Amino acid sequence: MDILMNLRDEAYTRVVDELSDLITSGETIRNEEENIRRFSEQMIYVREIILKLQSQQSGGQFTCSSTTANLLRRMEIAVNNARETIEGYKSKSSLLRLLFCRSVVSKLNQSSKEIADVLSLLPLTDIGISLNIYSNLDAIIHSLKSMELKLEENTKTIHSRLDLYISENSDSSLPPLIEAKEVKIGEPINEAYQFTKMLECFSSEMAPPIQRERSTVDEIVSLPNIFFYCPLTLKLMEDPVNVSCNHSYERKAVEDYFRSGHKFCLLCKKELISSSLGKLELTPNPTLLNTISEWKQRNALINAEKNAKKKLRDAAERITFDNMESTNQALEELKAVMKEMPSCISEATDSSCKLVQKLAGLLKKSAGAGNAGLVLWCLLFIARFSQENKETIARGGVIKCLLKQLKTEPIAAEVLLELSTNDRIAQKIIENKSSIPVLVSLLDNPNSHLAENARAVLKNLSNSISNIILIAKSGYLTPFLHEFNAQGNSEEMRAFMAEELANMQLTEAAASNLNNENFIFHMTVMLTSSLPASQLASLKCVKRLMAFSGIRISFLSTVSIVSAVLCIIMDTATEQQSRNEAFDILISLIETSQTFEQESYPGLLRLYSSSNIHNLLEQIIPSTPDDQGWLLRLLLAMFQKSDTARDWIISDGKAMNHLFSALNLDKNSEVRFNALKLVYCVTGNYPNDVPLPPPDKETTLNSIIAILTKSCISEEVSIAANIISHLPRGDKTVDAVLQSSTVLKAINALISHANKSNEFLENALGALLRCIDQSNSSFLIQVGKLEPVIVQMLSTGSSLVKLRAAMILTHLARCSPESSRSLLGALHFRQPSWKNVFLTHCTVHESCSLQRVICLVKAGAVRPLVDMVDAMNPVAAEAALRALETLFDNGNPEPSVPQSMFNAVAAGTIVENKGAAPILEVLERGPVPLKKVALELFEKIYKHSDITSGELEKFKAILFYLLNEEDELKKKAKVLLTELF
């Protein structure tokens, strides 16, 4: 503590001593130098404050502080600097005091500010009560800070003081200042007169002819330094050299001066050193030469700027809305002067000039004046000059005009670009709703310079995330992509941007900008994020971008995106909304992919891999109903699109078990429906009957029957019917369930559905075919009641409907009920001919109705079957031929009627229904398997009396042709040819 107090006391003593010396120095200054004298007076008050503070702290009133000692050290340095400045000022002659007065006052001003700052930090408020003299302490501090220690710059005042100096220090023969004549080299001249002539030169060179007084800062700084003038010629030096005493002169002048016999320096009176040859020793002064040159250039520039400012004002005054010719000429002048001298633009925003306001008004009315280009050039130069000018232009309401002029005046884009460098103005541009769409539309403009300027403006407008998103919504995504990929961008910010991107209406061209490796990388990272909002936003974004082929291909070209989405599906901890989006993405991806892409892109290969399909199947049962529906939809899409996925599911025995197990899930109708559709697709591609899972066979079968018989959704019933058509044959359990009346009733309802489609009919007939296989008589009789509807389908249904209808009719026509009687037991033939017997008891072929469930002839099915043969559809035609063959089946195990007679009646039925020609056509042009069936049938009818000679000849020709076919057809043809010939 003692050490600190000693340091403090020493600091107080030193400050007081320095202040005393400073005051003493200031008191000796002449009274007319008011500024310096006033500074000295203020220091007296400062010394009294310091003394009082020292006495109180020495008495223990204040605690010792190292801070106080440091502050006093600062004041000591400031006071010492001020004292040295004043002492240096006092040591100079009166003439040099005039020259250095400005520098001295500036240094004192700096010292006073430092002293005032220290005073404001010292603990002065505690001693104000006991020291009355310091009642105005705040005023003292303020006085020190605001002290105007300025040099008197008025030239007349300096001249008057110089005149006084000359009158006191020169002889009576010295001419007055205003009558001073040019000094000749070698003439004696005193210091005062030389300085007077220098000032006179300043006045003649720098001031206008009429006005010599300088009043502006620019005019003051344009005055040359006094040392630029040669002391001998009093003119600006062009080749300055230093003599031995280091004073500078004009080379020629000092050489002439030396040769004329002057051996001493004019300024310091020291002897001039010469060489042994008597030549004056001179040293070039390049520094001074460069300084003079720079001053000349600067002075020329100042003058040029003044002239340019005058021209600008004059041109601005001539701008009116009445005389466009004069206005256009003024605009030309403005453009030229601002281009040549940009610094003159400072006048443009002067309140008296009002140039910006005039230009803004012209721009708004320039539609018919044709001067928009000139106005825009002028605004561009003004905007480039300063930020203040930009804001002045923006306040003039020109932004809207600039946007309108963009397509007709490309220079408008440069003006807008310059304005957009100011953030406040950029926000004003953004607030104009048409600005961004207009700028984006220019990006593809044929004028590359205009397009580049528009791109640069958009870059300047991208100064906030909200602006970036607005620009992206207009179709320009480059700033968005740059910000999204920026290093250090937070995950929350990327999530926000992805959410916004997902809601944007993008074009293919705009979206192509996002086909970027870094963008896809960050999107993948977000998909694997533990932040739910980030994960959901990225999923929505990926889903949205899948609509664009270029980005979709990029997503598929790597496994990262697909793998990340699959992980979301498999992770049960993921939020349901995110899982739903993930499922939707994969389904959309599958549905939009082409067949050739499945083996081309790693993403699809990963999706269709056997391990992934196995995992998806395993996930069905333990998942929630929502996920079960999604999983089944996903598997269905994969099965329908990918041969690889379809083959794997069909070949894997466990796969069908998973699917049938899903069919038993009745918690959710959507799950059941999707399971049905998937099983439907799989069974339709199964090579054989689809086996039911052994442990749950009856449960699965009952589930299918329940859907068929109880569902109110016709599509579900149709799919269930299709599945039934693929159930294993020869399975007694299955057969027993299928031969129930409820099953037949459901199939009948499906066939008779008011809005039935071919697909419904195909599935219903397929199920009916499966049901009549191994059926009992009562069930077949019930099926026989559907005869009219089935016969109608032979003419109106699709190829598959016709095929299945013909197969059903064939089966029913060949099946005999157990309760029917034989033909001979039921009839007593007394008619003379067999034909009359059939005509009496049936219109054509009454025996069929007695021995079979249905009669094709009585049902009117013969002609539709013939038409099916004529259509030449190989599968349907074969079924029709098989059905027609049943007409030749007597059905009586002990026939009393000769088979030949029976065949003749059946053949006549076919011939009468125009069946001979279609069968011959099949024999001629049909495939080999179909030819075999057709040949067997035609063999039974060719001998009928109604066969025409032309048809018989064609048959013979076909037989000769068949001799070239395979062995079976060849042998049959030979036998028939033998019979014919």
Side-chain angles (χ1 to χ4, degrees), residues 739 772 774-781:
Q739 291 178 26
I772 63 177
Q774 305 295 327
S775 299
N776 56 47
S777 301
S778 60
F779 187 79
L780 291 174
I781 292 172

Side-chain angles (χ1 to χ4, degrees), residues 139 250 254 343 444 618 635 720 758 934:
E250 179 68 38
V254 74
S343 58
D444 297 324
E618 292 280 353
L635 287 166
N758 280 323

Side-chain angles (χ1 to χ4, degrees), residues 459 462 465 468 472 476-489 493-494 497 513-514 516 518-519 522:
K459 181 179 180 181
S462 304
I465 191 63
I468 289 172
Y476 184 53
L477 292 171
T478 300
F480 182 95
L481 186 63
H482 182 269
E483 181 66 22
F484 189 87
N485 291 336
Q487 289 186 352
N489 207 351
M493 179 57 71
R494 286 200 178 99
M497 295 181 73
N513 291 295
L514 299 173
N516 177 275
N518 287 335
F519 176 78
H522 288 301

Side-chain angles (χ1 to χ4, degrees), residues 757-763 765 792-805 868 873 876:
S757 65
N758 280 323
E759 184 181 2
F760 283 15
L761 292 174
E762 290 165 1
N763 293 337
L765 293 177
Q792 184 182 4
M793 293 177 190
L794 295 175
S795 303
T796 59
S798 66
S799 297
L800 185 56
V801 169
K802 292 176 180 179
L803 168 65
R804 290 180 174 175
M868 286 175 61
N873 182 292

Side-chain angles (χ1 to χ4, degrees), residues 614-898:
H614 177 77
N615 291 336
L616 293 175
L617 289 168
E618 292 280 353
Q619 197 84 357
I620 294 174
I621 301 303
S623 295
T624 63
D626 284 343
D627 282 353
Q628 287 171 348
W630 280 110
L631 283 165
L632 291 166
R633 284 178 57 195
L634 176 59
L635 287 166
L636 179 61
M638 294 170 68
F639 187 89
Q640 292 173 334
K641 202 74 175 183
S642 169
D643 293 337
T644 304
R646 182 164 52 249
D647 294 343
W648 188 88
I649 293 176
I650 291 173
S651 63
D652 183 21
K654 293 183 179 180
M656 287 306 299
N657 293 346
H658 289 298
L659 297 180
F660 277 119
S661 298
L663 195 60
N664 297 330
L665 298 171
D666 58 352
K667 299 177 183 178
N668 187 303
S669 58
E670 183 182 359
V671 173
R672 183 182 66 188
F673 181 67
N674 288 328
L676 266 177
K677 290 181 69 175
L678 185 54
V679 173
Y680 166 61
C681 290
V682 174
T683 55
N685 290 271
Y686 228 73
N688 302 307
D689 294 335
V690 178
L692 296 173
D696 301 317
K697 181 168 65 175
E698 292 185 9
T699 303
T700 302
L701 186 59
N702 290 332
S703 297
I704 297 171
I705 299 300
I707 294 171
L708 179 71
T709 58
K710 297 179 182 180
S711 176
C712 298
I713 304 173
S714 56
E715 189 176 359
E716 279 192 358
V717 176
S718 175
I719 294 174
N722 180 274
I723 295 172
I724 288 173
S725 69
H726 293 87
L727 292 179
R729 286 166 172 76
D731 189 315
K732 294 181 179 181
T733 303
V734 175
D735 291 340
V737 173
L738 294 182
Q739 291 178 26
S740 66
S741 59
T742 54
V743 172
L744 184 59
K745 183 179 179 181
I747 294 174
N748 186 23
L750 185 60
I751 292 174
S752 306
H753 196 275
N755 297 319
K756 60 179 176 290
S757 65
N758 280 323
E759 184 181 2
F760 283 15
L761 292 174
E762 290 165 1
N763 293 337
L765 293 177
L768 189 57
L769 267 174
R770 175 62 188 86
C771 289
I772 63 177
D773 186 63
Q774 305 295 327
S775 299
N776 56 47
S777 301
S778 60
F779 187 79
L780 291 174
I781 292 172
Q782 293 296 323
V783 174
K785 295 179 181 179
L786 300 176
E787 169 204 297
V789 178
I790 296 173
V791 171
Q792 184 182 4
M793 293 177 190
L794 295 175
S795 303
T796 59
S798 66
S799 297
L800 185 56
V801 169
K802 292 176 180 179
L803 168 65
R804 290 180 174 175
M807 292 174 67
I808 292 171
L809 291 174
T810 300
H811 189 83
L812 294 177
R814 284 179 173 165
C815 292
S816 175
E818 296 175 0
S819 59
S820 64
R821 297 168 297 170
S822 67
L823 179 61
L824 292 178
L827 298 174
H828 301 280
F829 296 106
R830 299 192 179 109
Q831 292 80 0
S833 69
W834 288 106
K835 186 173 183 180
N836 288 337
V837 172
F838 287 104
L839 290 172
T840 300
H841 297 279
C842 173
T843 56
V844 179
H845 200 182
E846 182 64 26
S847 65
C848 287
S849 64
L850 294 174
Q851 303 297 330
R852 299 289 180 261
V853 174
I854 66 170
C855 174
L856 296 180
V857 179
K858 187 176 179 180
V862 176
R863 185 54 187 265
L865 290 170
V866 169
D867 291 339
M868 286 175 61
V869 176
D870 193 29
M872 285 293 290
N873 182 292
V875 179
E878 182 178 352
L881 291 171
R882 298 285 186 193
L884 290 172
E885 277 188 341
T886 63
L887 295 174
F888 297 91
D889 187 2
N890 191 342
N892 191 344
E894 299 177 359
S896 301
V897 179

Side-chain angles (χ1 to χ4, degrees), residues 44-160:
I44 296 174
Y45 292 104
V46 173
R47 183 179 61 180
E48 292 178 359
I49 292 173
I50 297 301
L51 288 171
K52 184 62 179 179
L53 185 61
Q54 181 183 14
S55 62
Q56 291 191 357
Q57 289 197 356
S58 298
Q61 296 183 28
F62 298 96
T63 59
C64 178
S65 172
S66 60
T67 303
T68 302
N70 291 333
L71 290 174
L72 291 172
R73 175 60 182 160
R74 281 179 56 187
M75 181 177 286
E76 177 187 355
I77 294 172
V79 171
N80 184 54
N81 290 339
R83 182 184 58 76
E84 290 179 353
T85 299
I86 293 177
E87 290 291 339
Y89 180 77
K90 289 166 56 178
S91 66
K92 299 184 184 300
S93 64
S94 297
L95 175 61
L96 292 178
R97 284 186 183 183
L98 284 174
L99 295 177
F100 290 99
C101 184
R102 186 180 185 85
S103 174
V104 170
V105 172
S106 175
K107 291 179 180 179
L108 292 179
N109 193 27
Q110 293 177 2
S111 298
S112 66
K113 289 180 179 179
E114 177 68 10
I115 294 170
D117 289 340
V118 173
L119 285 176
S120 64
L121 296 174
L122 287 173
L124 299 177
T125 53
D126 294 335
I127 63 174
I129 298 176
S130 60
L131 190 63
N132 293 331
I133 194 171
Y134 307 130
S135 60
N136 295 324
L137 180 59
D138 291 339
I140 295 173
I141 295 175
H142 181 267
S143 176
L144 285 173
K145 286 187 176 181
S146 62
M147 188 181 295
E148 297 180 356
L149 304 177
K150 297 182 180 179
L151 176 65
E152 297 182 30
E153 298 165 354
N154 190 290
T155 306
K156 290 184 177 180
T157 303
I158 296 176
H159 280 186
S160 63

